[in-house]
Amino acid sequence: MIILALAAAASAITLPPPNPFLSQGAPAVTHNDSGASDAMPVEGPREQGPVAPERVKRIPTGLLTINYAGLLRYPGGVQATWNTNNNRVTKIRIDNGHWEELASLPIEGMTLLSAETVNAHLAAFDRAASEAELRGYLARALPFYAETQAREAGIYSMTDERGQFYVLTRSAILVYGQADDRDPRSAVVLLRKWTIPAALKREEAARALLLARLERSGQGQNAELRRGIGMMRDMPLGINMTYDGHIVFSMVGGSVVVIDREFRNAPQVVTVPGELFTNSLSVDPDGGIYAVGDRRMHKFVWRRGKLSDRPRDGAWSSPYDLTENPLPGVRGGGTGSGTTATLLGFGPGEDRLVVIADGQQRMNIVAFWRDAIPRDARRQPGTASRRIAGQMAVTMGGIADPYIQTEASIGVAGPYAFVLNGMAPQNIKPDLDNLLVQGPFRTPPRGVEMFRWDHAGNRWDSLWARADISTPAAIIPVLSTISRQAYVMGWDSEGWNVTGLDFDSGRTETRMVLGRSQQFNGAWGVLQLLPDGDVFIPGIAGPVRVARQR
């Protein structure tokens, strides 16, 4: 009876429909699915206590890993997945508890880090007895590594239904496959490459835009922010797949692009003047493409082979609340939303929405009508647009900090929307310093909150908040619709932990204590579940698998 009850509860939680052109059986894109839900219909852990070292496996592929993507199946039951970072693409065996590198290939144009070098960096991170010692090492060995190396490749990736793996770099889309799809140990090969045309890049315009905004905010002489703007490149960032099998990606400088998977035809491009796209994008089965800019929320439409931003085709653009003062810390000087647009509402009678956190210093959770605004819908008090279906302040249970903000996208499962605070009290630069000192040497951000959309009342309800949960390094949570838990990478007096919180009550159902090693620092990455429910941590020194109790 308990199993039936759990199954019934899970079935009531709708997720985006499977995309037939994406890999099935595991997350296929960086935020798990086409709707960027960061939710999975997989049973996760339910345990509390220290995790024995033999339950932990790590592969030292490089520094700063984001996610795994896709499920590769072979004769005899062997299964594998793809993983990338800024220097290599790796095929990893995952069946029956395996966590083994099967093959890898360096990413062209990037600096390859050997396993020995990665392990040496990790040892130095863990050996540091003070913040000064750690930051001194970073200044000598890895100066501005996140800004100049980590962002250059592998932030967003995707696996299609053929098992082909798409990786974005600063200048191209690279598509990888296997020398022999039937042999798990066959070599990783580069199948094709599409170089981003120079005409698509708007670096000078984007930098000028940011400098003008900086002047208007009164911080035009801020050397740190000006240096960050100088390092900015217009490059592809977010990637997804339309439900008819076309690649869609965004450019930081304000463009959205659709191109066929074989790169045979010219791309179709929409550019939004005065806008930057610094997050990924989501798509729906009807051709909607959702991209949150740093000024407005946008819906583009891909239909009958045409990309459109015209309202008569169903496209729209809406303002949302933001600050004109550059946000510090993990937000890196941004002023708009730090979240990928996430789709909510796929079941019969459910409102069809797209959800973000806005750009206020103390953010709101905001839901926009995805399609035509209902005739009886009224503009909500205090909102920037009639397009906004509902908006509610994120308070994390009453935290009084001047900033409640995030780079971690909102996890959405059915009507539930889970938000974490990613803003540390102190502003720390460079970015790798910020990611590594939170927790071990500086007070990390604290606070998570669960909201639920009321489809009958067309409003947000805050179900619960936990101000005691600290979540360093902007690690994106994962929601299990089977376990009905929101899992986060936390930090407390015992070091890193994976904490699972009940959807409805916020009660701690899982607390896997991992210890203080920085191998568990999932900097910027996506916490995920493997198909068997083990935990994937996007480790700063390579991907980590943590076996759950069985």
Side-chain angles (χ1 to χ4, degrees):
M1 293 298 292
I2 294 175
I3 294 174
L4 291 174
L6 286 172
S11 67
I13 296 179
T14 56
L15 294 175
N19 186 325
F21 293 93
L22 288 178
S23 178
Q24 305 298 314
V29 293
T30 297
H31 291 290
N32 287 357
D33 52 43
S34 296
S37 72
D38 289 308
M40 299 178 65
V42 172
E43 183 179 4
R46 190 180 300 272
E47 60 181 270
Q48 302 204 24
V51 173
E54 56 267 24
R55 291 169 58 190
V56 176
K57 299 176 182 177
R58 178 178 63 90
I59 303 175
T61 59
L63 298 178
L64 292 164
T65 300
I66 303 300
N67 63 292
Y68 82 92
L71 183 61
L72 308 174
R73 297 178 173 90
Y74 305 92
V78 173
Q79 296 181 346
T81 191
W82 292 110
N83 175 251
T84 188
N85 50 33
N86 63 79
N87 77 114
R88 79 180 72 200
V89 167
T90 307
K91 182 170 52 169
I92 301 174
R93 183 175 180 179
I94 64 172
D95 63 286
N96 297 316
H98 286 280
W99 197 240
E100 173 193 357
E101 178 178 329
L102 296 170
S104 66
L105 185 69
I107 295 176
E108 58 181 41
M110 300 303 297
T111 301
L112 182 65
L113 297 180
S114 68
E116 292 75 19
T117 299
V118 173
N119 288 334
H121 284 314
L122 176 61
F125 300 162
D126 288 345
R127 189 168 55 244
S130 67
E131 178 180 331
E133 182 181 347
L134 174 59
R135 299 188 71 178
Y137 177 82
L138 295 175
R140 295 188 305 274
L142 296 162
F144 291 97
Y145 184 84
E147 290 86 348
T148 61
Q149 292 289 320
R151 289 195 177 106
E152 299 290 279
I155 296 293
Y156 288 97
S157 58
M158 174 176 72
T159 303
D160 71 13
E161 88 287 3
R162 302 170 295 185
Q164 296 183 8
F165 187 46
Y166 300 73
V167 176
L168 296 178
T169 76
R170 61 177 175 251
S171 59
I173 299 176
L174 306 176
V175 186
Y176 295 90
Q178 306 173 79
D180 183 350
D181 290 343
R182 299 164 299 176
D183 179 4
R185 296 193 179 275
S186 67
V188 176
V189 295
L190 179 63
L191 299 175
R192 55 193 178 277
K193 171 185 176 181
W194 187 68
T195 301
I196 306 298
L200 270 183
K201 296 192 175 183
R202 305 177 67 250
E203 281 178 16
E204 293 305 318
R207 287 173 182 163
L209 175 66
L210 288 172
L211 288 171
R213 290 180 186 171
L214 198 62
E215 293 289 346
R216 288 198 301 271
S217 72
Q219 298 193 49
Q221 302 307 309
N222 187 313
E224 183 178 283
L225 292 174
R226 294 183 73 90
R227 181 170 59 243
I229 291 171
M231 291 181 180
M232 196 214 83
R233 300 188 187 207
D234 188 8
M235 56 189 284
L237 190 60
I239 189 169
N240 211 319
M241 186 80 75
T242 67
Y243 277 74
D244 68 352
H246 285 75
I247 300 167
V248 56
F249 67 94
S250 55
M251 298 286 293
V252 172
S255 299
V256 169
V257 185
V258 175
I259 190 168
D260 65 284
R261 293 192 288 176
E262 306 304 322
F263 308 131
R264 291 176 178 146
N265 301 313
Q268 297 195 38
V269 184
V270 170
T271 298
V272 184
E275 190 76 284
L276 301 176
F277 292 125
T278 58
N279 302 288
S280 193
L281 29 69
S282 54
V283 302
D284 70 25
D286 303 313
I289 299 169
Y290 303 86
V292 59
D294 69 341
R295 280 296 185 268
R296 301 174 70 89
M297 176 66 219
H298 303 271
K299 177 182 180 179
F300 306 97
V301 174
W302 171 256
R303 193 168 294 141
R304 292 184 290 276
K306 299 293 183 182
L307 178 64
S308 174
D309 62 352
R310 296 178 298 184
R312 70 184 185 188
D313 294 324
W316 52 260
S317 174
S318 170
Y320 61 84
D321 292 338
L322 48 82
T323 177
E324 293 297 336
N325 295 315
L327 294 163
V330 71
R331 292 303 318 281
T335 57
S337 174
T339 62
T340 293
T342 302
L343 306 188
L344 184 156
F346 290 94
E350 294 183 346
D351 295 327
R352 290 163 55 89
L353 308 171
V354 55
V355 180
I356 65 167
D358 69 15
Q360 293 279 57
Q361 291 185 8
R362 292 172 61 89
M363 62 187 170
N364 300 292
I365 184 171
V366 186
F368 302 82
W369 301 108
R370 285 209 309 263
D371 304 321
I373 300 172
R375 291 184 179 180
D376 60 349
R378 299 182 180 275
R379 182 168 175 174
Q380 300 296 311
T383 61
S385 165
R386 184 168 171 261
R387 171 65 60 181
I388 294 174
Q391 178 171 304
M392 191 173 190
V394 179
T395 68
M396 303 296 176
I399 290 176
D401 296 345
Y403 295 99
I404 297 178
Q405 254 296 336
T406 191
E407 274 285 301
S409 291
I410 296 172
V412 169
Y416 298 95
F418 183 70
V419 188
L420 61 80
N421 181 22
M423 186 67 77
Q426 295 93 8
N427 182 25
I428 304 163
K429 288 290 182 179
D431 284 343
L432 190 55
D433 296 48
N434 185 52
L435 295 169
L436 285 167
V437 303
Q438 289 184 37
F441 302 112
R442 293 280 188 106
T443 302
R446 61 191 179 95
V448 298
E449 189 164 0
M450 179 69 85
F451 295 86
R452 183 183 175 109
W453 180 257
D454 182 342
H455 289 284
N458 300 133
R459 68 172 189 271
W460 289 114
D461 293 320
S462 175
L463 293 185
W464 51 265
R466 291 281 300 272
D468 60 312
I469 301 293
S470 289
T471 54
I475 305 164
I476 296 165
V478 61
L479 277 59
S480 165
T481 61
I482 305 299
S483 301
R484 295 182 66 88
Q485 294 180 64
Y487 295 98
V488 300
M489 280 300 304
W491 174 275
D492 59 22
S493 61
E494 295 183 272
W496 296 98
N497 61 73
V498 174
T499 294
L501 305 170
D502 179 79
F503 278 7
D504 294 297
S505 68
R507 181 179 61 248
T508 298
E509 296 288 341
T510 298
R511 184 170 174 273
M512 305 171 76
V513 179
L514 300 169
R516 302 180 69 86
S517 173
Q518 292 278 17
Q519 70 174 312
F520 303 114
N521 185 333
W524 285 343
V526 184
L527 189 66
Q528 295 172 296
L529 300 174
L530 290 158
D532 66 353
D534 283 357
V535 177
F536 170 90
I537 297 174
I540 203 164
V544 177
R545 178 180 191 148
V546 182
R548 66 186 178 102
Q549 284 183 348
R550 288 176 169 81

